[in-house]
Amino acid sequence: MEYYSPKSSTELFKLLAEMDQPTFLAGGTDLLVRYYNKLDLLEKVVDLSKVKEFVGIKQEGDQIHIGALTTHQEIEDSPILEKVLPALQEAAKEVGSPQIRHRGTIGGNIANASPAADLVPVLTVVDAKVELSGVDGKRVVGLDDFLLGPGQTLLKEQEVLTDIFFSVPQDDEVVVFQKLGKRRALSISVVNLALLLKVNQEDSEIVDIKIYLGSVGPKVLRARSVENFLRGEKVNLELIIESAKKVENDISPIDDIRSTGEYRYEVAQELIVRGIKAALNRLEVDLDGLS
Amino acid sequence: MGLVDIKVKVNGEEYKLQVAANLRLVDLLRDKLGLIGTKEGCGEGECGACTVIIDGETANSCLVLAAQVDGSEITTIEALGNEDKLHPLQQSFIDNGAVQCGFCTPGMILSAKNLLDHNPQPSEEEIKRGLSGNICRCTGYTKIIKAVQDVAQRGDNHGN
């Protein structure tokens, strides 16, 4: 194995211009697990973790930028995110363990393209975009479009994910995150979900709803059937439960080591109900008081 | 085989080393520096037995390349105390019977230290969360949590 540790983006892209088939290392919490006992199979490892330009969370106008090397711990501790998108912190808190969160990065969580990545549903629900930087310059794509399937993204061989950004949700929109795993710590999601809800406070009509689910298909999937069923309706518990059943049109879960496809259908429905209830709670809409 | 020059501070001591690019931090500590208090359990970041503190934050040393810690400061269990003067957490683990087979103990104590360094008065829930990356195969969690609570209550998470 050859190891390269560029200290700046200039150094990084100069290096990449002369390199075939690099393997990128950020937090290492996925890469070193995947290559446990076979690190020798890695030929050229480019360690991105010393490129400090790609670290940090900042607000520019109504845009929030998160550098790709920002860790889950830094997301959890961010006062900016606490204010504008606490659901992303909830998701970050559910990743792995303290040791994993101290090193694992948002860029790694996204670029690994695991269908179970916890940060991804929250980011797609707020229409996040990703900046990809390469030898020939930068380009910006929507996160949903960036992800193609398990381990598959739009990244080219000499390109890295450098920035994730999104608009601050409106004051009357609430975003929530839900996850079901096998146990609390160190468990990869059986199903995860993020949901954005906007309700007319006066007549409890659902003005807008957006739902993304993870671990129920080859990539994060949008539950459009559920959204369409709910949009424009006046919210009540029966309607919510009915709407959740529509999710079977939107997802294609498989049987794997963590769960079965059948169980995932059940969990997806339950998380939709829980998610809407949690969002209504945050909006201070009392579900019991509605007919 | 690629070799990488690194400068690293381990338990206060500076080392200038040449390491293989594919050497993991846990192997550097155990095999090259003889710091065998750091244990390797699963090798995949699940069990936490190999936990060390890198620049003030815990990490699984099985998931870090030795080359990556160039310029860093590392604390292993060996820095916490010695037989004559144990760290308060070590003493509390003994007093509370929180050590059974002992394999998870170094990692468990480093996670506890890191938690108390950042949050000196954690709730029981916060202790559980702080230790959630460390598995005890003897399942002695109740006593481990009690041992950490005792140190937090006395407010003496320092030692040497």
Side-chain angles (χ1 to χ4, degrees), chain A residues 23-250:
Chain A
T23 301
F24 294 110
L25 169 65
T29 56
D30 279 311
L31 190 71
L32 269 79
V33 175
R34 200 175 316 142
Y35 285 89
Y36 173 54
N37 260 344
K38 46 187 182 187
L39 282 168
D40 287 334
L41 296 180
L42 293 169
E43 287 180 15
K44 295 166 206 159
V45 171
V46 177
D47 181 2
L48 301 170
S49 65
K50 302 281 174 0
V51 187
K52 296 299 172 201
E53 295 147 79
F54 303 153
V55 181
I57 300 164
K58 60 177 192 273
Q59 181 160 8
E60 284 174 3
D62 76 333
Q63 294 288 303
I64 304 296
H65 288 267
I66 306 180
L69 289 174
T70 306
T71 64
H72 294 89
Q73 186 68 48
E74 286 161 341
I75 289 172
E76 183 182 334
D77 295 340
S78 162
I80 295 177
L81 292 174
E82 189 178 352
K83 203 164 143 252
V84 305
L85 193 60
L88 191 64
Q89 296 182 303
E90 292 302 316
K93 282 180 191 175
E94 295 287 334
V95 172
S97 63
Q99 291 94 319
I100 303 282
R101 291 190 290 272
H102 289 154
R103 294 192 73 83
T105 65
I106 185 171
N109 195 252
I110 293 171
N112 263 313
S114 160
D118 283 323
L119 301 183
V120 168
V122 182
L123 292 166
T124 47
V125 105
V126 296
D127 266 330
K129 296 187 169 47
V130 291
E131 178 192 76
L132 314 179
S133 306
V135 177
D136 301 324
K138 294 177 179 181
R139 59 187 176 131
V140 168
V141 291
L143 175 57
D144 197 352
D145 297 328
F146 171 75
L147 298 164
L148 301 176
Q152 301 295 314
T153 71
L154 286 179
L155 277 173
K156 294 177 191 156
E157 194 179 286
Q158 286 147 320
E159 211 172 29
V160 289
L161 174 58
T162 43
D163 186 34
I164 298 97
F165 61 98
F166 53 88
S167 305
V168 176
Q170 304 292 313
D171 287 342
D172 55 357
E173 292 173 342
V174 61
V175 179
V176 297
F177 174 76
Q178 298 279 322
K179 165 174 176 170
L180 186 95
K182 290 281 188 193
R183 67 184 189 104
R184 197 65 203 273
L186 283 162
S187 71
I188 298 170
S189 289
V190 170
V191 177
N192 56 23
L193 161 151
L195 174 154
L196 179 147
L197 185 67
K198 184 174 174 179
V199 173
N200 183 329
Q201 300 278 3
E202 276 165 26
D203 64 359
S204 67
E205 182 195 312
I206 297 176
V207 179
D208 199 12
I209 182 160
K210 212 159 140 191
I211 303 169
Y212 274 92
L213 291 138
S215 215
V216 291
K219 57 174 271 191
V220 69
L221 292 174
R222 188 167 177 184
R224 285 184 194 273
S225 307
V226 182
E227 295 174 8
N228 292 339
F229 187 83
L230 287 170
R231 202 173 287 114
E233 299 289 331
K234 289 189 180 164
V235 70
N236 66 65
L237 186 57
E238 212 173 302
L239 181 85
I240 296 169
I241 292 169
E242 203 50 38
S243 78
K245 294 179 185 159
K246 306 288 173 198
V247 77
E248 63 178 29
N249 301 318
D250 301 316

Side-chain angles (χ1 to χ4, degrees), chain A residues 1-3 25-29 32-33 36 39-40 45 47 49-50 73 76 93 96-103 183 185-186, chain B residues 2 4 21-22 24 40 42-46 51 54 57-60 62-65 67-68 70 111 114 129-130 132-134:
Chain A
M1 186 207 289
E2 297 293 333
Y3 170 87
L25 169 65
T29 56
L32 269 79
V33 175
Y36 173 54
L39 282 168
D40 287 334
V45 171
D47 181 2
S49 65
K50 302 281 174 0
Q73 186 68 48
E76 183 182 334
K93 282 180 191 175
S97 63
Q99 291 94 319
I100 303 282
R101 291 190 290 272
H102 289 154
R103 294 192 73 83
R183 67 184 189 104
L186 283 162
Chain B
V4 184
N22 65 356
R24 300 171 308 164
E40 178 172 8
C42 66
E44 299 184 336
E46 295 275 342
T51 300
I54 304 176
E57 286 186 324
T58 52
N60 298 304
C62 71
L63 298 186
V64 180
L65 294 177
Q68 285 183 281
D70 182 31
S111 282
N114 200 230
R129 188 161 184 265
S132 62
N134 295 78

